[in-house]
Amino acid sequence: EVQLVESGGGLVKPGGSLRLSCAASGFTFSSFHMNWVRQAPGKGLEWVSSITSDSTYIYYADSVKGRFSISRDNTKNSLYLQINSLTAEDTAVYYCARERWIGAVPTHVDFWGLGTLVTVSS
Amino acid sequence: QSALTQPPSASGSPGQSVTISCTGTSSDFGGYNYVSWYQQHPGKAPKLMIYDVNKRPSGVPDRFSGSKSGNTASLTIYGLQAEDEADYYCSSNADSNNLLFNNLVFGGGTRLTVL
């Protein structure tokens, strides 16, 4: 059974930082591309960042570029998101997800974690 | 603002059918037939219901059906059940004309109420 379990969220002051983690199990983690998607309270889904299976290619949404950093450790079956210079607009549930691609194009997310809440407030 | 436009709400009675639309431009769909649909119950993670326009993952009831015509994709739920009450999001690829990467984009979501 595929499982994705996020951790690392919490309350942080504006300008602060957090490191989100996602522990994967139930599949060969090193064979799959992964991403982070966030959802602000009462709002829709927003793609944040994607990373290929071997970390060769990394992409970010314009809204987080330069502040967020995605990485993975295939030896630990783990995905990470370092989030810096946080603002209130970054308040959201952050989902770790397995992203399916065809060639160089992502097609859909087939499994999602339960999410971890990041709240940015003074 | 979402590149894909969905109606904010939809409703139907048990046993009826309901269709949720997802409208964009040909660029919004990235020129691909990679439309997917996700169901999200309150406080829960999204769940994949349809991918590649009309394919259902294992375990998703065949009451859920996807289609696409031109720049509008649709999710139809036949034989509505109480547990279908949830938010539904469509997704496809970002505008391929100006981006290095055709990242996934999501519609604004449709809240489905089973009357």
Side-chain angles (χ1 to χ4, degrees), chain B residues 43-82:
Chain B
K44 303 295 186 182
K47 175 186 175 184
L48 177 67
M49 304 302 285
I50 296 287
Y51 67 100
D52 292 358
V53 176
N54 56 14
K55 297 177 182 175
R56 277 179 289 105
S58 174
V60 172
D62 60 6
R63 301 186 294 105
F64 290 83
S65 177
S67 63
K68 180 172 177 279
S69 178
N71 295 332
T72 299
S74 300
L75 172 70
T76 300
I77 308 172
Y78 298 95
L80 268 178
Q81 299 182 3

Side-chain angles (χ1 to χ4, degrees), chain B residues 3-5 21-31 35 67-74:
Chain B
L4 302 175
T5 301
S21 62
C22 172
T23 302
T25 67
S26 57
S27 297
D28 291 331
F29 286 112
V35 180
S67 63
K68 180 172 177 279
S69 178
N71 295 332
T72 299
S74 300

